[in-house]
Amino acid sequence: MGLEPQQFPLLLAVLAVGAVTGAVVAEPLVRRIPEVPLLVGCWAVNSGLLLVPVLLPTAPAIGAAFLVVGLTNMVGNVVGRTLRQRLVPTDRLGRVGGASGMIGYGLMPLGALTGRVVGEIWGLPVAFVGAAAVSLATVGYVATAASTTLVRAHEIA
């Protein structure tokens, strides 16, 4: 991508600024946008931004993408965890959160390994496009399977 090693800490700082901003704007966004469409939208934006290093492999473009990824990722985290608290019985909330973390964080090394193998064999652009395609397909499934009506029907009083 043509980035210098000293640019990576700056990109991570930009990601953090986006995340802090996302934490601040999550509540006002939920007041304006229903939770399920907001969550799906955040995931779709994050998935699409995986293409930035392929389409615009410059530090400013990648930095802007990191800022938005930080923001939408944090909004998605806040909305998702809020939904979990309303959908999962209190006595199971810890188990569901633990299982979710184990699956999410446990699969990260597999994703990293897959990305490395794909990147080494076919190049980084193929790895980024593949990651975007898999992510967008997953988001598409969630968008068709979940709805605000479904969430409201399963909320715990």
Side-chain angles (χ1 to χ4, degrees):
M1 293 182 286
L3 298 174
E4 298 295 323
Q6 58 270 31
Q7 290 173 311
F8 287 104
L10 295 173
L11 289 175
L12 294 178
V14 168
L15 182 75
V17 168
V20 170
T21 305
V24 171
V25 302
E27 185 179 353
L29 283 174
V30 169
R31 281 190 240 126
R32 291 180 177 83
I33 304 169
E35 291 164 317
V36 174
L38 180 59
L39 190 57
V40 168
C42 286
W43 291 344
V45 168
N46 278 354
S47 300
L49 288 172
L50 290 170
L51 297 172
V52 169
V54 176
L55 301 174
L56 297 164
T58 65
I62 294 169
F66 269 46
L67 180 71
V68 176
V69 164
L71 186 141
T72 54
N73 188 59
M74 185 56 72
V75 170
N77 284 342
V78 169
V79 172
R81 288 195 171 88
T82 301
L83 281 173
R84 181 187 301 159
Q85 290 174 346
R86 293 197 337 257
L87 295 172
V88 176
T90 306
D91 63 327
R92 294 191 182 120
L93 199 52
R95 289 184 184 129
V96 170
S100 174
M102 189 222 28
I103 292 168
Y105 291 112
L107 290 176
M108 282 184 189
L110 180 60
L113 178 62
T114 302
R116 177 182 176 172
V117 169
V118 169
E120 285 183 2
I121 294 172
W122 293 289
L124 280 179
V126 173
F128 280 106
V129 170
V134 169
S135 297
L136 286 169
T138 303
V139 171
Y141 171 75
V142 171
T144 60
S147 68
T148 300
T149 304
L150 183 64
V151 166
R152 287 193 180 135
H154 288 87
E155 278 186 304
I156 298 170

